């Protein structure tokens, strides 16, 4: 690539044996993408189509699944194109957009999980006040905040990074995550500090809040009957499983990469694929099988199709 091209485009150098397995990668990821779209869309359709699912808990689940669809739609088409291309490149502007969408949607996931935990907390710990607290207006506000706040916060480093000069043009990864900042000629202390502030606001704080609410729920339900404890576990356990899974992958992506830890190429590749595959595909399976009302409608839908 000549200098003129290098100024505009970034080489993506995170794939492993792409020349050898390109068609295998393509078929696998296309299959996963179709499954993600179908599974998430099916659960969202069921929630939208059935009146008894028009409750805050299910609305937040639908929002979480829509978030997974958006996340996958931002990342998968580019991956599929790269698998079949001779050169894996991306323009700097497209890289900035992918960075923005990747982190704003990831942060929204944590805020949506926090909103879900708050809904469960009010439902179980303050049942008499539930109808007055979790109104349609309040639910809409929580959804609006969950998507708008991360988008505004992530937009700041994107705007600040756009005029920066690049001194490196090879990205050690398969997508534009936090590692793209290593391409800048001068590392920005302001961006690093701001990134940590965002991390505290939209990741660490919601996680602490979620753990606090579920701890309160388990303490209160422990004093009640076995049936109450069973119902609480039935609704809260899927949320906790999703949170633990997502938090572990996010710790790798945000903290370890920002600390500059060097990983073998194959490890980076596998971990990034897990972020792209595991969570968007994991959510609908967890909520579809573990949430009793959704599972009932899902079972009915498939029985009609068969």
């Amino acid at each position: 690539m000549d200098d003129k091209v290098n100024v505009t485009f970034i080489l993506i150098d995170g794939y492993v044996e792409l020349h050898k397995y390109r068609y295998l990668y393509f078929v696998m990821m296309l299959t996963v993408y179709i499954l993600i779209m179908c599974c998430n869309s099916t659960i969202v359709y069921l929630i939208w189509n059935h009146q008894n699912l028009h409750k805050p808990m299910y609305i937040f689940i639908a929002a979480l699944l829509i978030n997974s669809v958006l996340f996958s739609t931002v990342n998968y088409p580019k991956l599929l194109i790269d698998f079949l291309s001779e050169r894996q490149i991306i323009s700097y502007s497209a890289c900035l957009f992918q960075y923005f969408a990747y982190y704003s949607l990831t942060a929204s996931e944590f805020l949506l999980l926090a909103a879900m935990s708050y809904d469960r907390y009010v439902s179980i710990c303050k049942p008499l006040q539930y109808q007055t607290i979790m109104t349609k207006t309040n639910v809409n506000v929580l959804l609006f905040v969950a998507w708008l706040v991360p988008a505004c916060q992530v937009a700041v480093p994107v705007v600040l990074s756009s005029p920066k000069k690049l001194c490196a043009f090879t990205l050690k990864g398969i997508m534009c995550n936090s590692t793209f900042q290593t391409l800048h000629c001068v590392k920005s202390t302001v961006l690093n500090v701001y990134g940590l502030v965002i991390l505290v606001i939209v990741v660490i704080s919601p996680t602490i809040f979620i753990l606090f609410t579920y701890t309160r729920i388990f303490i209160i339900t422990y004093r009640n009957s076995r049936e109450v404890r069973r119902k609480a576990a039935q609704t809260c356990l899927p949320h906790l499983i999703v949170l633990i899974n997502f938090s572990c992958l996010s710790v790798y992506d945000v903290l370890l990469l920002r600390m500059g830890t060097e990983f073998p190429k194959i490890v980076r590749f596998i971990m990034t694929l897990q972020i792209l595959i595991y969570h968007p595909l994991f959510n609908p399976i967890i909520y579809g099988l573990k949430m009793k009302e959704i599972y009932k409608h899902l079972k009915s839908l498939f029985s009609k199709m068969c």
Side-chain angles (χ1 to χ4, degrees), residues 177-193:
N177 51 16
S178 58
T179 54
F180 99 95
Q181 294 183 7
T182 61
L183 304 180
H184 294 150
C185 296
V186 179
K187 292 185 178 180
S188 174
T189 304
V190 174
L191 284 178
N192 285 332
V193 172

Side-chain angles (χ1 to χ4, degrees), residues 90-109:
I90 186 171
S91 68
Y92 186 52
S93 58
C95 187
L96 287 173
F97 173 76
Q98 190 178 60
Y99 173 90
F100 167 77
Y102 179 86
Y103 283 109
S104 61
L105 292 171
T106 298
S108 293
E109 194 99 359

Side-chain angles (χ1 to χ4, degrees), residues 52-248:
N52 68 322
L53 298 181
H54 292 182
K55 299 175 182 177
M57 176 176 68
Y58 300 110
I59 292 172
F60 288 130
I61 289 174
L64 198 70
L65 300 184
I66 291 171
N67 203 68
S68 293
V69 169
L70 294 173
F71 178 85
S72 300
T73 302
V74 167
N75 295 300
Y76 274 78
K78 173 58 178 159
L79 283 177
L80 296 175
I81 292 171
D82 282 344
F83 291 145
L84 299 182
S85 301
E86 288 301 319
R87 293 190 302 171
Q88 291 70 49
I89 58 176
I90 186 171
S91 68
Y92 186 52
S93 58
C95 187
L96 287 173
F97 173 76
Q98 190 178 60
Y99 173 90
F100 167 77
Y102 179 86
Y103 283 109
S104 61
L105 292 171
T106 298
S108 293
E109 194 99 359
F110 282 97
L111 293 181
L112 288 170
L113 287 171
M116 292 167 70
S117 70
Y118 178 68
D119 172 72
R120 291 301 82 209
Y121 171 77
V122 176
S123 175
I124 295 171
C125 301
K126 299 181 179 181
L128 298 179
Q129 303 175 45
Y130 184 78
Q131 295 299 329
T132 58
I133 295 176
M134 298 305 296
T135 62
K136 185 178 180 180
T137 300
N138 288 340
V139 170
N140 289 334
V141 169
L142 288 173
L143 291 175
F144 183 74
V145 169
W147 272 309
L148 182 64
V149 169
C152 292
Q153 290 180 324
V154 178
V156 174
V158 171
V159 171
L160 293 177
S161 297
S162 59
K164 281 183 170 292
K165 185 179 179 182
L166 301 182
C167 284
F169 301 94
T170 301
L171 187 70
K172 294 182 179 179
I174 63 174
M175 59 187 304
C176 294
N177 51 16
S178 58
T179 54
F180 99 95
Q181 294 183 7
T182 61
L183 304 180
H184 294 150
C185 296
V186 179
K187 292 185 178 180
S188 174
T189 304
V190 174
L191 284 178
N192 285 332
V193 172
Y194 183 78
L196 292 175
V197 171
I198 294 179
L199 182 67
V200 171
I201 293 175
V202 296
V203 177
I204 296 177
S205 296
T207 302
I208 293 173
F209 176 78
I210 293 167
L211 294 176
F212 169 77
T213 54
Y214 284 134
T215 301
R216 290 289 300 160
I217 288 171
F218 290 135
I219 290 174
I220 291 173
T221 55
Y222 181 77
R223 302 168 186 167
N224 290 286
S225 64
R226 186 175 181 180
E227 181 64 17
V228 173
R229 293 198 298 270
R230 187 187 67 80
K231 288 183 177 180
Q234 189 179 54
T235 57
C236 295
L237 189 59
H239 303 163
L240 283 175
I241 292 173
V242 169
L243 174 66
I244 293 169
N245 162 59
F246 197 56
S247 297
C248 291

